[in-house]
Amino acid sequence: MPGSVYETSNLDRGGNRKKIEDFSRSSREKLVQSKNKMFSKFTSILQHAVEALAPSLPLQEDFVYHWKAITHYYIETSDDKAPVTDTNIPSHLEQMLDILTQEEAEHESGETGPCMEYLLHHKILETLYTLGKADCPPGMKQQVLTFYTKLLAHIRQPLLPHINVHRPVQKLIRLCGEILAAPTENEEIQFLCIVCAKLKQVPYLVNFFLENKLRRSDTLSPDRAQGSKGNDLAPDTGQGQTPGKTEEPQAAAAARSPTTNNNNSYSLVTSLLNLTKSPDGRIVVKACEGLMMLVSLPEPAAAKCLTESTELCQLLTDRLVSFYKALPQSIDPLDIETVESVNWGLDVYNLKEDAAVFAGKRALISFLSWLDFCDQLIKEAQKTAAAVMAKCVRERFFVAVMEPQLMQTSEVGILTSTALLNRIIRQVSSEALMQEMVHFLLGEEKEAETIATITQNALRHRLIEHCDHLSDEISIMTLRLFEQLIQKPNQHILHNLVLRGLDERNYQENKPQDEREPLENGLPHDSVDLEEDPLFGDDLSPDSRLSGSDWLSTSPPLSPDHSKSEGKTEVHKIVNSFLCLVPDEAKSSYHVEGTGYDTYLRDAHRQFKDYCGVCLRWDWRGHPKPLEKCNLEAPFFEGHFLKVLFDRMGRILDQPYDVNLQVTAVLSKLSLLPHPHLHEYLLDPYISLAPGCRSLFSVIVRVVGDLMLRIQRIPDFTPKLLLVRKRLLGMEPEGLNIDHMTLLEGVIVLEEFCKELAAIAFVKYHATAASSP
């Protein structure tokens, strides 16, 4: 029936028959491939079974058999698209490694066996490199990388000095990191790291991996260069160099030849730098570990090539800058200060959790983590390389990026950048980077300051001025920055900020003892009148002073011509001077348990011990400088830093409680430092000050004089003072506002600070007495 369904299906039958035939052909091809794979696996299993049952061949014959099986594959196989895992090549390579390992175990230490001789003589590593470079069959590069890695890791005898080892190793190094996120990244980084580990064990071998590109291209004519290229692709011919021959002349030449940006390359570093850009965090960490090993190598040629012929410095600083610029414009300083400590190799995070804590936490941790890596890299680096890397960080990060942030006028920007700088100072521990950072912040000047020269270094001047900023938050954060800074083990910090102004001791009055004006309470007669107090008299005889030689064991011995009459005042007089400085009606600590002087003694003992350890290696020869050798005629200026601190200390009764705590914290840290001039200027109330000069004690005396006048105008002063103290200690709940709260809090800080200074003076004295013979 025309037009029926039956008729239509007959018309389509020819097309369906063709589809069925195509499908059958495809199925047959897949079946053949499957049979081939199964046969290959069966052959391998059978081969292993025969090897297990038959008498074992000598190792060399067995080794040659496996190598010939690999080369025969390339001769006999026409299908080069099948993956290497479908062949017997991985198995043969594994057997070769096992044989080499077994051979070494059977021979005496350092002796090269016949299998290793065969591998070296027949340039097997060169041939494997060529096959890996071509990645034929697919996946061969991965197998070659694994073979090289296991060979270097498992064989104990030194292989890298052999020309037929380090030359193909160098070529294979150049293949690593070429493609970002390559499927062989894991094998590449394992290979590079084992090479780095071998160089770490025998550092001079690194000279084999420093290439002079001009020499390579100039010494090879086009014909020879072509021949060399052809040899890379040629199969094993057996016409190798004498086995065991090394390239010592090349290593020596590499060590001697000057390194320049254009003529030399350091492929090992370049490949590792490329892998630090991997999206896989584990690869990045391993690459950083490899760089850490390479920078620590003591070879001068390698250090020079590292900094001049690679992009290491640029990568370090560019990434540091990018992480810093990714930070939010405003971060709470408390978040910056309290975020957990970071370790560059353990940067584990959770985006949701970090965002829930505070915005920008992830970016902050990333920045601090990379900063930690830079710091540790410089810390481990060879000395000249460390200096170059640290200088690069200073120029490209601190000067170019941070300085404009610190010099801006926006209060929010100043606060955030100062808090970040404080965290950076706290974290940096490498000597070279610390030195560059200190020079960036304070300058390199060492001569005494004058009023006219305090603006010489714009950043230093601005930071010190920020200690007395209109914004209390900025003042507190900058004071914390300097508190952190003076605790770092860097002598230039203390000298630049404080000691260069005290070196000539010209804060002392330049008059004979009998011509000096009588003092009233430790001050000239025209100063603020205080109640009569015998502790502040000037009737001290030379016998009542400590000997000038009784100083800290951490300080160098004094010169023999130093007068004993220039020693320190007896410690009990100093202690009582500070303890009795605040009048009884302004004291409140004796009403509250646990706020006594003994608490400060324990803290001062611990902190002073720590400071002595920090200052132990500092060069303080010739201190204290004898007065007869000092230029007492020169005008005295305490320096910009001490000037600002003393100005703030003088306003302690009118400043917020938190500001006062920070000012006194910085001054107490300076008082703890074991330098005789600093000790004399800050902790001896009985030095005869030159006209117009002030010391820490004289500043406090003026504050006390002002306080005694104000107390008379405040009704119920002592009960209010005690209530405020208990509130600060959490012993009383917050209630109604109390009049003169700022003043009362200032008095409490003043009393505690005087006890702290007394404790520091006492601890210093007893440390001196204990170390005296």
Side-chain angles (χ1 to χ4, degrees):
M1 181 181 296
S4 67
V5 175
Y6 178 79
E7 184 179 4
T8 303
S9 62
N10 275 335
L11 292 174
D12 292 339
R13 186 172 298 169
N16 288 338
R17 185 182 297 112
K18 186 176 185 306
K19 291 180 181 179
I20 292 170
E21 290 174 355
D22 292 341
F23 176 77
S24 300
R25 189 182 301 111
S26 174
S27 299
R28 284 196 299 273
E29 289 176 356
K30 289 181 180 180
L31 185 61
V32 170
Q33 290 179 2
S34 178
K35 286 181 177 179
N36 287 340
K37 288 182 182 180
M38 290 178 64
F39 181 75
S40 175
K41 291 180 181 179
F42 175 75
T43 304
S44 177
I45 294 170
L46 185 62
Q47 173 187 324
H48 287 300
V50 170
E51 290 173 357
L53 295 173
S56 59
L57 294 172
L59 287 180
Q60 183 178 2
E61 291 183 26
D62 203 9
F63 185 82
V64 173
Y65 163 75
H66 288 293
W67 176 239
K68 295 298 184 184
I70 293 173
T71 57
H72 287 161
Y73 168 84
Y74 289 94
I75 296 171
E76 297 171 357
T77 304
S78 58
D79 181 14
D80 59 353
K81 293 182 180 179
V84 72
T85 51
D86 289 348
T87 72
N88 289 328
I89 292 176
S91 174
H92 288 304
L93 289 173
E94 191 68 35
Q95 291 292 324
M96 290 170 66
L97 281 169
D98 291 342
I99 292 169
L100 291 170
T101 305
Q102 181 183 346
E103 179 185 70
E104 184 178 55
E106 294 176 357
H107 284 73
E108 294 183 8
S109 177
E111 185 180 341
T112 304
C115 297
M116 182 61 72
E117 293 277 0
Y118 186 90
L119 179 138
L120 297 173
H121 185 80
H122 291 271
K123 298 184 178 180
I124 288 178
L125 294 180
E126 285 277 3
T127 305
L128 286 175
Y129 157 75
T130 305
L131 299 175
K133 182 180 180 181
D135 199 29
C136 177
M140 189 61 185
K141 181 180 177 183
Q142 188 176 27
Q143 296 297 322
V144 171
L145 285 164
T146 301
F147 182 84
Y148 272 62
T149 302
K150 290 183 177 180
L151 180 70
L152 293 174
H154 295 168
I155 301 301
R156 296 189 303 276
Q157 62 179 289
L159 293 178
L160 286 177
H162 295 280
I163 188 172
N164 289 337
V165 176
H166 69 248
R167 183 173 288 173
V169 165
Q170 175 73 320
K171 292 177 181 178
L172 192 58
I173 286 170
R174 293 190 212 113
L175 292 184
C176 299
E178 282 186 327
I179 303 171
L180 191 63
T184 56
E185 265 192 346
N186 190 56
E187 288 74 23
E188 289 175 13
I189 195 61
Q190 296 292 339
F191 165 66
L192 293 176
C193 282
I194 194 62
V195 175
C196 293
K198 290 295 179 182
L199 298 183
K200 182 74 173 174
Q201 292 173 1
V202 189
Y204 89 91
L205 294 176
V206 73
N207 292 297
F208 293 130
F209 299 91
L210 307 179
E211 301 174 281
N212 190 308
K213 293 184 289 186
L214 282 182
R215 184 173 60 193
R216 240 176 41 186
S217 59
D218 291 345
T219 55
L220 289 180
S221 65
D223 293 338
R224 289 181 63 195
Q226 185 64 35
S228 174
K229 184 177 179 181
N231 286 339
D232 281 348
L233 298 174
D236 167 36
T237 62
Q239 303 300 314
Q241 211 167 335
T242 304
K245 183 176 180 182
T246 63
E247 249 184 328
E248 294 293 343
Q250 178 182 330
R256 289 194 304 269
S257 62
T259 306
T260 63
N261 285 329
N262 297 323
N263 296 349
N264 290 268
S265 66
Y266 198 167
S267 301
L268 188 52
V269 173
T270 301
S271 295
L272 287 169
L273 290 176
N274 288 337
L275 288 171
T276 63
K277 303 169 187 174
S278 169
D280 188 337
R282 295 169 301 173
I283 300 293
V284 174
V285 170
K286 294 292 289 183
C288 289
E289 289 174 352
L291 291 171
M292 195 77 73
M293 286 188 276
L294 291 182
V295 299
S296 66
L297 299 180
E299 293 294 303
K304 190 174 178 65
C305 195
L306 182 84
T307 54
E308 294 185 5
S309 301
T310 74
E311 295 183 350
L312 176 63
C313 293
Q314 183 179 345
L315 174 96
L316 290 178
T317 51
D318 285 355
R319 197 166 293 184
L320 194 63
V321 169
S322 65
F323 281 134
Y324 184 85
K325 290 184 175 179
L327 296 171
Q329 293 295 311
S330 174
I331 309 178
D332 188 336
L334 187 62
D335 289 333
I336 296 173
E337 192 172 336
T338 58
V339 70
E340 59 268 22
S341 59
V342 296
N343 183 305
W344 66 268
L346 300 172
D347 187 12
V348 181
Y349 59 91
N350 183 298
L351 286 175
K352 289 185 177 180
E353 290 181 5
D354 290 343
V357 175
F358 66 88
K361 182 182 178 183
R362 171 89 305 266
L364 178 59
I365 290 177
S366 295
F367 168 72
L368 294 176
S369 179
W370 190 253
L371 173 69
D372 183 57
F373 173 67
C374 295
D375 183 45
Q376 294 303 316
L377 195 72
I378 293 171
K379 193 173 187 177
E380 294 293 325
Q382 190 259 9
K383 194 170 183 179
T384 57
V388 173
M389 288 189 286
K391 187 174 182 180
C392 187
V393 173
R394 174 185 175 179
E395 293 172 353
R396 296 169 66 103
F397 173 65
F398 284 119
V399 174
V401 179
M402 283 220 73
E403 186 169 357
Q405 294 287 309
L406 295 166
M407 296 290 284
Q408 66 182 302
T409 55
S410 164
E411 290 191 2
V412 173
I414 292 172
L415 187 61
T416 301
S417 57
T418 306
L420 286 167
L421 178 58
N422 189 20
R423 182 63 191 253
I424 291 170
I425 292 171
R426 192 173 89 192
Q427 189 164 311
V428 168
S429 61
S430 64
E431 187 175 342
L433 186 56
M434 173 60 64
Q435 186 72 10
E436 291 294 338
M437 185 172 66
V438 168
H439 287 165
F440 159 71
L441 293 171
L442 305 179
E444 302 180 34
E445 295 78 19
K446 296 182 178 179
E447 65 280 359
E449 284 182 277
T450 65
I451 294 290
T453 61
I454 61 173
T455 58
Q456 187 174 353
N457 185 299
L459 179 59
R460 178 184 186 272
H461 179 262
R462 182 69 65 88
L463 287 173
I464 294 176
E465 286 292 304
H466 283 174
C467 293
D468 198 3
H469 199 274
L470 290 174
S471 164
D472 291 333
E473 280 189 294
I474 290 176
S475 294
I476 292 170
M477 184 50 62
T478 312
L479 286 164
R480 283 180 183 168
L481 184 150
F482 280 105
E483 181 187 9
Q484 192 72 46
L485 198 59
I486 60 180
Q487 296 178 80
K488 304 301 285 189
N490 186 291
Q491 188 174 354
H492 183 70
I493 297 170
L494 188 60
H495 181 82
N496 181 280
L497 287 174
V498 181
L499 290 179
R500 58 177 170 154
L502 309 179
D503 196 49
E504 294 297 329
R505 299 176 71 188
N506 49 340
Y507 43 81
Q508 296 210 38
E509 188 174 14
N510 185 23
K511 288 183 181 179
Q513 182 73 28
D514 55 354
E515 294 182 17
R516 293 178 182 175
E517 297 181 3
L519 300 182
E520 297 181 14
N521 299 331
L523 292 174
H525 65 88
D526 58 347
S527 62
V528 178
D529 292 331
L530 299 178
E531 293 181 352
E532 189 66 19
D533 189 339
L535 288 172
F536 304 146
D538 62 337
D539 58 348
L540 296 173
S541 64
D543 294 336
S544 67
R545 316 276 291 181
L546 290 177
S547 169
S549 60
D550 292 335
W551 186 237
L552 304 172
S553 58
T554 54
S555 297
L558 304 178
S559 56
D561 58 347
H562 183 62
S563 171
K564 287 188 177 183
S565 63
E566 295 176 27
K568 304 296 175 285
T569 310
E570 289 184 64
V571 70
H572 75 275
K573 294 182 181 292
I574 293 177
V575 170
N576 286 333
S577 295
F578 283 112
L579 291 178
C580 299
L581 192 50
V582 177
D584 288 342
E585 57 268 37
K587 291 181 178 178
S588 56
S589 60
Y590 57 87
H591 293 292
V592 179
E593 192 174 342
T595 58
Y597 165 67
D598 56 334
T599 304
Y600 288 104
L601 280 175
R602 288 192 294 270
D603 290 342
H605 177 76
R606 175 182 52 80
Q607 293 179 43
F608 180 66
K609 184 179 179 181
D610 293 342
Y611 272 108
C612 287
V614 168
C615 304
L616 193 60
R617 295 183 294 115
W618 293 0
D619 183 12
W620 281 343
R621 287 173 292 184
H623 293 102
K625 191 175 182 180
L627 278 175
E628 60 268 20
K629 294 187 176 182
C630 294
N631 182 13
L632 299 180
E633 297 291 342
F636 174 69
F637 175 54
E638 62 259 40
H640 192 196
F641 185 57
L642 281 179
K643 176 185 180 300
V644 170
L645 290 177
F646 284 175
D647 289 347
R648 297 228 70 151
M649 189 68 206
R651 302 198 301 270
I652 194 171
L653 302 179
D654 303 299
Q655 294 174 153
Y657 178 71
D658 291 338
V659 173
N660 287 334
L661 286 180
Q662 200 56 54
V663 171
T664 54
V666 175
L667 285 168
S668 69
K669 294 293 189 300
L670 289 174
S671 301
L672 278 162
L673 287 160
H675 191 283
H677 294 175
L678 199 56
H679 177 85
E680 178 181 63
Y681 184 60
L682 296 181
L683 289 177
D684 190 350
Y686 296 97
I687 56 172
S688 298
L689 292 172
C693 296
R694 59 180 179 171
S695 67
L696 178 56
F697 187 80
S698 72
V699 171
I700 297 175
V701 167
R702 290 182 181 274
V703 172
V704 171
D706 184 28
L707 171 63
M708 295 174 70
L709 296 176
R710 294 198 197 188
I711 287 176
Q712 308 303 322
R713 300 194 294 267
I714 301 176
D716 301 323
F717 178 83
T718 304
K720 290 179 179 178
L721 186 66
L722 182 58
L723 178 60
V724 171
R725 176 179 281 274
K726 288 183 176 180
R727 284 188 180 180
L728 290 173
L729 292 172
M731 300 170 63
E732 287 284 342
E734 293 293 330
L736 297 174
N737 290 335
I738 302 174
D739 294 336
H740 309 286
M741 176 66 80
T742 300
L743 171 66
L744 295 170
E745 289 177 338
V747 172
I748 292 169
V749 174
L750 180 64
E751 181 188 356
E752 297 303 309
F753 184 50
C754 288
K755 289 192 294 185
E756 187 174 14
L757 293 176
I760 292 170
F762 184 83
V763 166
K764 279 188 167 184
Y765 170 80
H766 278 278
T768 306
S771 62
S772 298

